[in-house]
Amino acid sequence: MAVETRYRVIVRCPGCGEKYVLRGRTNKNGELETGFKQCVCGNESNLRIDVTPE
């Protein structure tokens, strides 16, 4: 059984200053999945994302 690496993801919105701390894993395409869609202010694309392994 392979151990799947979990990541701590911090998403910051420069527009409103909101900060989200999430956990995510990579999918089979190598993309990080957290379930995050957009900030509460509606910002979807201009986000600062910091990822570190747990």
Side-chain angles (χ1 to χ4, degrees), residues 11-20 39-41 43 46-48:
V11 179
R12 288 190 172 105
C13 177
C16 69
E18 192 69 35
K19 174 182 167 184
Y20 303 91
C39 181
V40 294
C41 71
N43 184 3
N46 184 22
L47 300 166
R48 294 186 188 145

Side-chain angles (χ1 to χ4, degrees), residues 4 25-33:
E4 204 173 308
R25 295 181 183 203
T26 53
N27 62 16
K28 52 187 160 187
N29 297 329
E31 300 166 335
L32 190 63
E33 284 192 9

